[in-house]
Amino acid sequence: MALRNILKLGDPNLRQKCYEVTIFNEKLGTMLDDLIDTMFAADGVGLAAPQVGIPKRICVVCVDEKTIYELVNPVIVKTAGSQKGQEGCLSIPGEHGIVERPKTVWVEAMDRYGKPCKYKVSDLTAVAFCHEIDHLDGKLFIDKIISND
Ligand code: NI
């Protein structure tokens, strides 16, 4: 296990559009393990590779401390409904704000072995998926805050 340093707002890595993963090897598995360990160590519910300086389309999500989602090359293929809730980000400590997100999202991704996976998630998990997938395009929740209440 290795903890990675989480980059903070202002670091240009956070604003990059990340590259698709094309090679599924042991290194990718280690990267995913490190993202998961770093997310839990920082008490987060999600973490994306660019947040640790890796410009690749990889992120992890775990909102209930049980189900860990590993998303490689994730794409949101469909959304339904909407919800508004408070968000924060491990890269922007101390900052919070209300963001509008879909209530449910359908996502196609790959696992660490390159196997295609489909997910339908709602509520907090949908928020976390959207937030982390945004990171892969250099988008941050502070760009989308609709109020600070
Ligand atoms: Ni974030």
Side-chain angles (χ1 to χ4, degrees):
M1 131 168 191
L3 297 182
R4 307 264 183 146
N5 181 40
I6 300 177
L7 304 177
K8 300 298 187 299
L9 185 65
D11 190 302
N13 282 289
L14 294 173
R15 291 302 192 175
Q16 273 190 50
K17 188 166 166 63
C18 297
Y19 299 100
E20 296 251 327
V21 172
T22 54
I23 299 168
F24 295 82
N25 57 10
E26 205 173 311
K27 204 175 154 203
L28 174 65
T30 302
M31 205 182 292
L32 279 157
D33 290 339
D34 288 355
L35 280 175
I36 290 164
D37 291 337
T38 305
M39 169 179 72
F40 285 134
D43 236 344
V45 298
L47 190 65
Q51 291 181 274
V52 298
I54 300 163
K56 298 215 169 130
R57 304 190 77 80
I58 303 166
C59 57
V60 296
V61 167
C62 180
V63 305
D64 62 0
E65 295 178 345
K66 288 194 288 258
T67 313
I68 300 171
Y69 296 94
E70 300 180 351
L71 306 175
V72 178
N73 299 335
V75 177
I76 296 171
V77 293
K78 186 178 157 192
T79 70
S82 75
Q83 56 179 325
K84 289 175 190 167
Q86 197 173 61
E87 287 184 33
C89 179
L90 293 175
S91 292
I92 315 172
E95 189 90 27
H96 294 90
I98 305 287
V99 177
E100 187 167 2
R101 301 284 191 184
K103 174 92 172 149
T104 302
V105 294
W106 286 257
V107 170
E108 293 182 6
M110 284 178 234
D111 69 7
R112 62 174 66 198
Y113 307 106
K115 189 182 120 213
C117 302
K118 291 184 180 188
Y119 301 99
K120 178 195 176 193
V121 293
S122 297
D123 304 315
L124 269 183
T125 309
V127 172
F129 269 50
C130 292
H131 178 120
E132 299 311 326
I133 292 170
D134 270 356
H135 272 298
L136 309 182
D137 290 314
K139 296 183 205 154
L140 303 173
F141 86 95
I142 48 170
D143 308 336
K144 302 188 168 182
I145 290 176
I146 52 176
S147 83
N148 285 297
D149 303 333

